[in-house]
Amino acid sequence: MAARAAGKLYRNFMRQRVISTSIGASRHCSSAATSAPKIPHSSKKGRLLTGATIGLIIAGGAYVSTVDEATFCGWLFSATKLVNPFFALLDAEVAHKLAVSAAAHGWVPREKRPDPPILGLEVWGRKFSNPIGLSAGFDKNAEAVEGLLGMGFGFVEVGSVTPVPQEGNPKPHIFRLRQEGAIINCCGFNSEGIVAVAKRLGAQHGKRKLETSSSSSPLSEEAKHGGKAGPGILGVNLGKNKTSEDAAADYVQGVHTLSQYADYLVINISSPNTPGLRMLQGRKHLKDLVKKVQAARDEMQWGEEGPPPLLVKISPDLSKEDLEDIAAVAVALRLDGLIISNTTISRPDPVNKNPVSAESGGLSGKPLFNLSTNILMEMYLLTRVAWSFVSKRYVLLVFGY
């Protein structure tokens, strides 16, 4: 009896537990069904749009993978035009720093298309893949040499580099003249100094040389095409410190420290933003300066490629007499070349009608074209006459502003 009663009690207990569980589950399901929101029609459209976008990206990626490298490279360079308006909204100096930083970190397109052979030229035994280069003033501290050469420039010139770090003139440094297609800068050789630049160039030099030797056969034409460290020519532009009393010593120090990395060297004596600098363009000062710098370069040990060529960068604001003096010194000392020209302190029409033209500093851009071209013509005529009598090794090379 006790056993039957216990069994009946156990069966009743289990029956009630099952019923209770079923009711609880049904209540839970009912609650969930009641609380679940309906998916709005707009959300469905959003999901469809997202899915279509992802599909397009995947399809685009698949298509790009089948496109040749040259075509894809062209797309990338075209796409950069979309970014230009953004930079135009920024402060000029901020935009400049961002651009240098982007090139330094490899956030710029890389030119994969080979230059047409007709664009190549050989000067001083160095082969330029094309004659379009980036002059000094953009990458002052050699932060982005690899990135800039990778964009397809035939050469990149860093600097001006001063022996001791200096901030340059008070800010703001750069002023835009949008309608005239020009800028005015009064930077004043702002530089991190030759020690910092030498460290960067040393690291980049080794990296570029290693990449060139690993990617090209030692006997291939591509390996021979370029400068000391590989494809692309590197120029180093030397300046003097604002407070220096011995300009020649500053340039000599730059030669001793940086010439080992340079495919060519530039003596910058024409910036309008360093007091007294343009006085060095006078006949006597220039002759003494070039002699000392040449001696400093030639006393160093050089391999088969020899010392880097030495050029002088001149102003577009020189008189006829000044140009004759510079030409005479250049030919007499067998200078390797001249860079024509630096920025101008003049304000030609229509720049002079722009209120920004009242800012001090050097003007560059479209308004400088006629002035610098006239100086180029004058120097060509002056040096061509002396060239036939003195030295056929003399080269007049123009790199831009």
Side-chain angles (χ1 to χ4, degrees):
M1 290 289 292
R4 289 179 181 176
K8 186 178 181 179
L9 183 64
Y10 175 76
R11 284 192 297 272
N12 290 337
F13 171 77
M14 290 302 295
R15 188 181 295 114
Q16 290 177 0
R17 185 174 180 183
V18 170
I19 294 171
S20 175
T21 304
S22 301
I23 293 172
S26 64
R27 285 178 180 173
H28 177 74
C29 292
S30 176
S31 175
T34 305
S35 60
K38 293 183 178 180
I39 299 175
H41 188 65
S42 60
S43 178
K44 291 181 180 179
K45 284 186 175 180
R47 290 181 181 180
L48 288 173
L49 181 61
T50 302
T53 303
I54 293 173
L56 286 173
I57 292 174
I58 294 173
Y63 176 70
V64 166
S65 65
T66 65
V67 172
D68 64 281
E69 200 171 46
T71 302
F72 182 62
C73 180
W75 289 351
L76 286 178
F77 276 95
S78 297
T80 57
K81 296 177 182 178
L82 301 175
V83 185
N84 290 342
F86 167 73
F87 279 90
L89 295 174
L90 299 175
D91 171 77
E93 197 155 1
V94 172
H96 181 191
K97 289 181 179 179
L98 283 177
V100 173
S101 180
H105 290 87
W107 300 336
V108 292
R110 192 169 184 85
E111 181 60 81
K112 298 293 186 180
R113 297 163 293 185
D115 288 319
I118 195 172
L119 293 180
L121 67 157
E122 184 171 340
V123 185
W124 315 303
R126 288 153 175 79
K127 294 184 178 180
F128 292 69
S129 61
N130 67 72
I132 309 299
L134 185 63
S135 62
F138 182 80
D139 187 9
K140 289 177 174 287
N141 298 302
E143 299 173 73
V145 172
E146 187 177 0
L148 294 172
L149 285 174
M151 291 180 71
F153 287 112
F155 64 91
V156 169
E157 186 178 315
V158 300
S160 294
V161 188
T162 58
V164 179
Q166 64 178 26
E167 294 184 359
N169 294 323
K171 295 182 179 181
H173 285 153
I174 306 173
F175 307 91
R176 292 188 178 109
L177 294 88
R178 299 181 190 277
Q179 293 182 348
E180 292 79 9
I183 64 169
I184 293 173
N185 93 83
C186 57
C187 294
F189 284 171
N190 48 319
S191 171
E192 293 181 11
I194 58 174
V195 174
V197 171
K199 288 181 179 179
R200 288 197 187 103
L201 288 181
Q204 294 169 6
H205 184 88
K207 183 179 178 182
R208 289 176 60 214
K209 206 163 188 176
L210 183 63
E211 290 176 348
T212 301
S213 60
S214 62
S215 62
S216 303
S217 168
L219 299 177
S220 70
E221 184 65 22
E222 185 181 356
K224 297 178 182 178
H225 198 92
K228 293 179 179 179
I233 302 293
L234 174 65
V236 177
N237 186 300
L238 304 174
K240 67 175 285 291
N241 281 111
K242 185 176 182 178
T243 58
S244 175
E245 296 181 359
D246 189 345
D250 280 13
Y251 291 106
V252 165
Q253 190 174 352
V255 169
H256 285 160
T257 309
L258 301 176
S259 59
Q260 59 185 312
Y261 309 115
D263 294 309
Y264 68 88
L265 291 168
V266 182
I267 304 175
N268 188 352
I269 54 173
S270 52
S271 170
N273 301 315
T274 298
L277 184 69
R278 289 191 166 188
M279 292 176 59
L280 297 175
Q281 294 176 118
R283 188 169 191 148
K284 183 179 184 307
H285 288 99
L286 180 61
K287 188 174 183 179
D288 292 342
L289 175 63
V290 172
K291 279 184 174 180
K292 290 178 181 178
V293 175
Q294 284 179 330
R297 178 198 61 175
D298 295 342
E299 70 185 9
M300 299 175 67
Q301 297 295 321
W302 300 104
E304 293 181 0
E305 76 277 2
L310 184 65
L311 297 86
V312 171
K313 188 170 186 175
I314 67 174
S315 163
D317 303 316
L318 296 166
S319 66
K320 175 74 172 180
E321 184 180 356
D322 292 332
L323 294 175
E324 291 174 351
D325 287 344
I326 291 173
V329 172
V331 174
L333 297 182
R334 299 192 177 187
L335 198 62
D336 296 294
L338 297 170
I339 295 181
I340 302 171
S341 67
N342 213 314
T343 56
T344 178
I345 58 174
S346 67
R347 300 293 186 263
D349 195 51
V351 172
N352 55 8
K353 296 180 176 63
N354 191 318
V356 180
S357 65
E359 298 290 345
S360 62
L363 174 74
S364 60
K366 290 182 180 179
L368 182 58
F369 180 79
N370 290 335
L371 181 59
S372 61
T373 303
N374 289 334
I375 298 295
L376 171 60
M377 178 188 67
E378 292 285 348
M379 292 306 293
Y380 174 76
L381 294 174
L382 289 170
T383 54
R384 185 181 62 171
V385 173
W387 181 22
S388 59
F389 292 102
V390 181
S391 171
K392 291 189 177 182
R393 294 176 57 201
Y394 178 76
V395 177
L396 182 66
L397 189 64
V398 183
F399 287 105
Y401 315 135

